[in-house]
Amino acid sequence: MPFLPRIFDFNSSSSDESTESQNPDKQQPSMILEYRIRLPMTVDEHKIARLYAISRSSKTETGGGEGIEYVENIPFTGSDEHDLPDGFNSGQFTRKKIHLSEKLPAFVRYLTPNDYLDVDEKSWNAYPYCKTDITNNFMNDDFMYRIETYHFDADDGTRENAHNLPADELKRREVIHLDIADNSLIDAQDYKPDEDPNIYKSAKTGRGPLQNGWEESCETMCVYKLVSIRFKWWGLQNRAEQILKRVTTRIFLAFFRRLHCWTDEWTDLTMEEVRQFEAETKQQLDEIRQSGAVQGTMEQ
């Protein structure tokens, strides 16, 4: 393990750190973001579209030794055990290991031992509610990245408190509306003409192209994604949180643009066919990860 200054030694047992470990506020997020993304489809359609797009997008983020490794993909039951809201007590559990050392900013790679540059992702899909926890063994409780998602039909993205946040968290929450058809929001490095909702027209559903004001011309569903972040690293917290916010925005925007532009690929699929596609993708990822070049979302 490379040398790290003492300020980065999370195993220290100083009195200040011992006091902090007993403080319940240590477990609270320091940044709360709520993304609202409207889509020209129904919640039932999105159930299939989401699973298909996650599997297919995994391939674009994998290669050159980096990317996604599926560890588990199994049914689950029991909302209490998994800290899920009432009424969402069964679904599909997925665990992935994400290899991303070359995709991290240089200062993170410099300060973090090589063995700890990967992260674990655990997801509970109890659709229309989903929860994803991302953890890192090096930072342990000093790092928190959680995504909680609700999906609502016939929704214009104006629900004041879709996640039932307590008053203190509601005050700290930042709401971010993402318009999948607004090309001014997309980074130049992420833009692809075949993933542009301004251009794409679905042959099977007739949806698109999505021009300015498209939300007013069709019925939409809305995805409410609550992202809770905690990155406790002395001297780097604000910088790291802003990077995480920027990367999260890039990933969400690119993902939902793809999801819409792949409509003709998923619109006729059954749940059984999507699960088969997931299984095939898992096998392919193991091969893709060991070949080619690093690709996907990267931060310098």
mmCIF file of all heavy atoms in Angstrom, residues 15-29 141-142 230 232:
data_model
loop_
_atom_site.group_PDB
_atom_site.id
_atom_site.type_symbol
_atom_site.label_atom_id
_atom_site.label_comp_id
_atom_site.label_asym_id
_atom_site.label_seq_id
_atom_site.Cartn_x
_atom_site.Cartn_y
_atom_site.Cartn_z
ATOM 1 N N SER A 15 -8.743 10.638 19.567
ATOM 2 C CA SER A 15 -9.947 10.905 20.344
ATOM 3 C C SER A 15 -10.989 11.622 19.510
ATOM 4 O O SER A 15 -12.189 11.386 19.649
ATOM 5 C CB SER A 15 -9.589 11.743 21.573
ATOM 6 O OG SER A 15 -8.963 12.965 21.188
ATOM 7 N N ASP A 16 -10.555 12.539 18.619
ATOM 8 C CA ASP A 16 -11.510 13.256 17.777
ATOM 9 C C ASP A 16 -12.274 12.292 16.896
ATOM 10 O O ASP A 16 -13.488 12.392 16.729
ATOM 11 C CB ASP A 16 -10.794 14.294 16.902
ATOM 12 C CG ASP A 16 -10.275 15.458 17.736
ATOM 13 O OD1 ASP A 16 -10.746 15.603 18.870
ATOM 14 O OD2 ASP A 16 -9.409 16.211 17.230
ATOM 15 N N GLU A 17 -11.565 11.332 16.284
ATOM 16 C CA GLU A 17 -12.204 10.388 15.386
ATOM 17 C C GLU A 17 -13.109 9.444 16.157
ATOM 18 O O GLU A 17 -14.162 9.022 15.676
ATOM 19 C CB GLU A 17 -11.153 9.612 14.604
ATOM 20 C CG GLU A 17 -10.470 10.489 13.553
ATOM 21 C CD GLU A 17 -9.297 9.794 12.925
ATOM 22 O OE1 GLU A 17 -8.733 8.890 13.580
ATOM 23 O OE2 GLU A 17 -8.925 10.124 11.804
ATOM 24 N N SER A 18 -12.698 9.063 17.384
ATOM 25 C CA SER A 18 -13.538 8.178 18.175
ATOM 26 C C SER A 18 -14.850 8.852 18.517
ATOM 27 O O SER A 18 -15.922 8.251 18.484
ATOM 28 C CB SER A 18 -12.803 7.788 19.463
ATOM 29 O OG SER A 18 -11.626 7.069 19.164
ATOM 30 N N THR A 19 -14.762 10.155 18.847
ATOM 31 C CA THR A 19 -15.982 10.906 19.150
ATOM 32 C C THR A 19 -16.870 10.978 17.924
ATOM 33 O O THR A 19 -18.086 10.800 17.998
ATOM 34 C CB THR A 19 -15.623 12.327 19.626
ATOM 35 O OG1 THR A 19 -14.817 12.227 20.785
ATOM 36 C CG2 THR A 19 -16.888 13.120 19.936
ATOM 37 N N GLU A 20 -16.222 11.215 16.761
ATOM 38 C CA GLU A 20 -16.994 11.352 15.534
ATOM 39 C C GLU A 20 -17.699 10.059 15.179
ATOM 40 O O GLU A 20 -18.838 10.059 14.718
ATOM 41 C CB GLU A 20 -16.061 11.776 14.388
ATOM 42 C CG GLU A 20 -16.800 12.041 13.084
ATOM 43 C CD GLU A 20 -15.862 12.460 11.987
ATOM 44 O OE1 GLU A 20 -14.734 11.932 11.940
ATOM 45 O OE2 GLU A 20 -16.247 13.297 11.163
ATOM 46 N N SER A 21 -17.050 8.909 15.416
ATOM 47 C CA SER A 21 -17.646 7.628 15.059
ATOM 48 C C SER A 21 -18.900 7.345 15.864
ATOM 49 O O SER A 21 -19.743 6.546 15.458
ATOM 50 C CB SER A 21 -16.618 6.502 15.265
ATOM 51 O OG SER A 21 -16.336 6.346 16.642
ATOM 52 N N GLN A 22 -19.014 8.010 17.040
ATOM 53 C CA GLN A 22 -20.199 7.809 17.858
ATOM 54 C C GLN A 22 -21.295 8.825 17.545
ATOM 55 O O GLN A 22 -22.370 8.789 18.114
ATOM 56 C CB GLN A 22 -19.809 7.921 19.335
ATOM 57 C CG GLN A 22 -18.801 6.859 19.761
ATOM 58 C CD GLN A 22 -18.255 7.116 21.145
ATOM 59 O OE1 GLN A 22 -18.753 7.974 21.869
ATOM 60 N NE2 GLN A 22 -17.235 6.372 21.526
ATOM 61 N N ASN A 23 -20.989 9.739 16.651
ATOM 62 C CA ASN A 23 -21.938 10.788 16.292
ATOM 63 C C ASN A 23 -22.814 10.311 15.145
ATOM 64 O O ASN A 23 -22.319 10.044 14.056
ATOM 65 C CB ASN A 23 -21.158 12.044 15.881
ATOM 66 C CG ASN A 23 -22.080 13.222 15.615
ATOM 67 O OD1 ASN A 23 -23.303 13.052 15.551
ATOM 68 N ND2 ASN A 23 -21.490 14.399 15.446
ATOM 69 N N PRO A 24 -24.132 10.213 15.352
ATOM 70 C CA PRO A 24 -25.001 9.738 14.284
ATOM 71 C C PRO A 24 -24.985 10.642 13.070
ATOM 72 O O PRO A 24 -25.292 10.205 11.958
ATOM 73 C CB PRO A 24 -26.391 9.707 14.948
ATOM 74 C CG PRO A 24 -26.298 10.647 16.108
ATOM 75 C CD PRO A 24 -24.886 10.534 16.582
ATOM 76 N N ASP A 25 -24.618 11.932 13.229
ATOM 77 C CA ASP A 25 -24.572 12.842 12.085
ATOM 78 C C ASP A 25 -23.522 12.418 11.077
ATOM 79 O O ASP A 25 -23.567 12.803 9.912
ATOM 80 C CB ASP A 25 -24.276 14.272 12.548
ATOM 81 C CG ASP A 25 -25.464 14.876 13.291
ATOM 82 O OD1 ASP A 25 -26.579 14.355 13.126
ATOM 83 O OD2 ASP A 25 -25.261 15.849 14.039
ATOM 84 N N LYS A 26 -22.555 11.609 11.537
ATOM 85 C CA LYS A 26 -21.508 11.141 10.627
ATOM 86 C C LYS A 26 -22.096 10.316 9.490
ATOM 87 O O LYS A 26 -21.538 10.236 8.401
ATOM 88 C CB LYS A 26 -20.476 10.312 11.406
ATOM 89 C CG LYS A 26 -19.314 9.824 10.534
ATOM 90 C CD LYS A 26 -18.333 9.001 11.335
ATOM 91 C CE LYS A 26 -17.180 8.537 10.454
ATOM 92 N NZ LYS A 26 -16.238 7.689 11.174
ATOM 93 N N GLN A 27 -23.239 9.695 9.736
ATOM 94 C CA GLN A 27 -23.848 8.838 8.735
ATOM 95 C C GLN A 27 -24.760 9.608 7.784
ATOM 96 O O GLN A 27 -25.305 9.031 6.857
ATOM 97 C CB GLN A 27 -24.665 7.732 9.432
ATOM 98 C CG GLN A 27 -23.895 6.943 10.479
ATOM 99 C CD GLN A 27 -22.667 6.278 9.908
ATOM 100 O OE1 GLN A 27 -22.696 5.775 8.791
ATOM 101 N NE2 GLN A 27 -21.578 6.279 10.660
ATOM 102 N N GLN A 28 -24.933 10.907 8.010
ATOM 103 C CA GLN A 28 -25.839 11.683 7.198
ATOM 104 C C GLN A 28 -25.158 12.187 5.927
ATOM 105 O O GLN A 28 -23.957 12.466 5.927
ATOM 106 C CB GLN A 28 -26.379 12.872 8.002
ATOM 107 C CG GLN A 28 -27.165 12.477 9.237
ATOM 108 C CD GLN A 28 -28.325 11.566 8.900
ATOM 109 O OE1 GLN A 28 -29.121 11.858 8.011
ATOM 110 N NE2 GLN A 28 -28.414 10.454 9.605
ATOM 111 N N PRO A 29 -25.924 12.325 4.839
ATOM 112 C CA PRO A 29 -25.329 12.852 3.604
ATOM 113 C C PRO A 29 -25.007 14.331 3.746
ATOM 114 O O PRO A 29 -25.695 15.076 4.434
ATOM 115 C CB PRO A 29 -26.441 12.621 2.572
ATOM 116 C CG PRO A 29 -27.706 12.606 3.361
ATOM 117 C CD PRO A 29 -27.342 11.978 4.678
ATOM 118 N N ASP A 141 -17.239 4.182 6.085
ATOM 119 C CA ASP A 141 -18.351 5.072 6.419
ATOM 120 C C ASP A 141 -18.115 6.521 6.013
ATOM 121 O O ASP A 141 -19.030 7.341 6.079
ATOM 122 C CB ASP A 141 -18.642 5.029 7.923
ATOM 123 C CG ASP A 141 -19.302 3.714 8.344
ATOM 124 O OD1 ASP A 141 -19.829 3.020 7.461
ATOM 125 O OD2 ASP A 141 -19.271 3.402 9.547
ATOM 126 N N ASP A 142 -16.889 6.845 5.614
ATOM 127 C CA ASP A 142 -16.620 8.215 5.189
ATOM 128 C C ASP A 142 -17.088 8.472 3.758
ATOM 129 O O ASP A 142 -17.009 9.603 3.275
ATOM 130 C CB ASP A 142 -15.123 8.522 5.303
ATOM 131 C CG ASP A 142 -14.694 8.610 6.756
ATOM 132 O OD1 ASP A 142 -15.261 9.451 7.471
ATOM 133 O OD2 ASP A 142 -13.826 7.828 7.178
ATOM 134 N N ARG A 230 -22.001 11.469 0.605
ATOM 135 C CA ARG A 230 -21.126 11.866 1.710
ATOM 136 C C ARG A 230 -19.709 11.470 1.329
ATOM 137 O O ARG A 230 -19.438 10.317 0.989
ATOM 138 C CB ARG A 230 -21.515 11.193 3.022
ATOM 139 C CG ARG A 230 -20.594 11.590 4.186
ATOM 140 C CD ARG A 230 -21.013 10.963 5.520
ATOM 141 N NE ARG A 230 -20.921 9.513 5.504
ATOM 142 C CZ ARG A 230 -21.975 8.700 5.486
ATOM 143 N NH1 ARG A 230 -23.188 9.205 5.470
ATOM 144 N NH2 ARG A 230 -21.828 7.397 5.471
ATOM 145 N N LYS A 232 -16.175 12.240 3.108
ATOM 146 C CA LYS A 232 -15.442 12.878 4.206
ATOM 147 C C LYS A 232 -13.947 12.602 4.044
ATOM 148 O O LYS A 232 -13.450 11.568 4.463
ATOM 149 C CB LYS A 232 -15.956 12.390 5.554
ATOM 150 C CG LYS A 232 -17.421 12.737 5.817
ATOM 151 C CD LYS A 232 -17.777 12.638 7.271
ATOM 152 C CE LYS A 232 -17.036 13.685 8.064
ATOM 153 N NZ LYS A 232 -17.460 13.711 9.494
#
